[in-house]
Amino acid sequence: MGSDDVTETFGAGFLVRWLAAVAEDVDREADRLTELDSAIGDADHGANLKRGFAAVTEVLGKEPPTSPGAVLTAAGRQLISTVGGASGPLYGTLLRRAGKTLGEDAEVTRERLAEALGAGVAAVSQLGGAQVGDKTMLDALVPAVEGLRSSYEAARAAAEKGALATVPLQARKGRASYLGERSIGHQDPGATSSALLFAALADTARAEGAR
């Protein structure tokens, strides 16, 4: 990758390495994600995502796709087929829609990835019927995608800030919404795992000299 962050491009390998980094981060943080989920959900978020992203890494390792779009489409498809509960369809939709948006281009830019993930986030919002402020993964995803238009590190910071901002919110969607006011004071597990996604992206970009 070149030093010009506006024009630098990357291929399928970069996204394969990103998703492998996500799998490592989710594996490391699985217990924490499950602990967060035990307070306001089914206590299975960490275990489900750990299984799902491990399966993604395995599939991408066996048959590496040749374009960035194909990587995300394959990953999304694998998550939908592997992960139970809401997180599989939601994360699967995010990546699959982003992959379809990228199309078959062999090389894409960070800005193009931001556009594609933005389309994925819109699909997630439509699928779950949630918006920013509802105490869901969208509270991290929406600002992260906006941040990604500037830099990988801006995306990481925005996602982490968005996840932390769910603590004082009352859940209005998903299982946590059944708790009403008792959901206040707990960080949303979906927003937390979404922040891991963008932290891994920033780490991958930094390791390869992108900004």
Side-chain angles (χ1 to χ4, degrees), residues 51-184:
R51 183 174 67 253
F53 278 101
V56 165
T57 300
E58 183 178 357
V59 165
L60 295 179
K62 286 180 179 178
E63 298 179 23
T66 57
S67 72
V71 171
L72 297 184
T73 301
R77 189 183 305 120
Q78 189 64 27
L79 287 174
I80 290 171
S81 65
T82 305
V83 182
S87 56
L90 291 170
Y91 272 110
T93 294
L94 170 69
L95 296 181
R96 195 164 69 167
R97 179 62 62 86
K100 289 182 177 179
T101 301
L102 288 179
E104 299 179 0
D105 292 346
E107 297 276 333
V108 299
T109 62
R110 170 183 49 75
E111 290 159 318
R112 184 85 176 96
L113 179 62
E115 290 175 10
L117 288 172
V121 170
V124 168
S125 177
Q126 184 176 23
L127 179 64
Q131 305 292 333
V132 170
D134 286 343
K135 199 183 182 92
T136 71
M137 62 196 298
L138 290 171
D139 289 303
L141 289 177
V142 170
V145 167
E146 190 58 36
L148 188 57
R149 300 181 192 280
S150 299
S151 71
Y152 294 105
E153 288 298 335
R156 181 212 299 265
E160 291 176 353
K161 183 178 179 181
L164 288 172
T166 64
V167 174
L169 298 178
Q170 179 173 328
R172 294 198 287 259
K173 293 292 179 181
R175 184 175 177 82
S177 65
Y178 303 158
L179 297 175
E181 292 185 358
R182 285 181 294 154
S183 64
I184 296 172

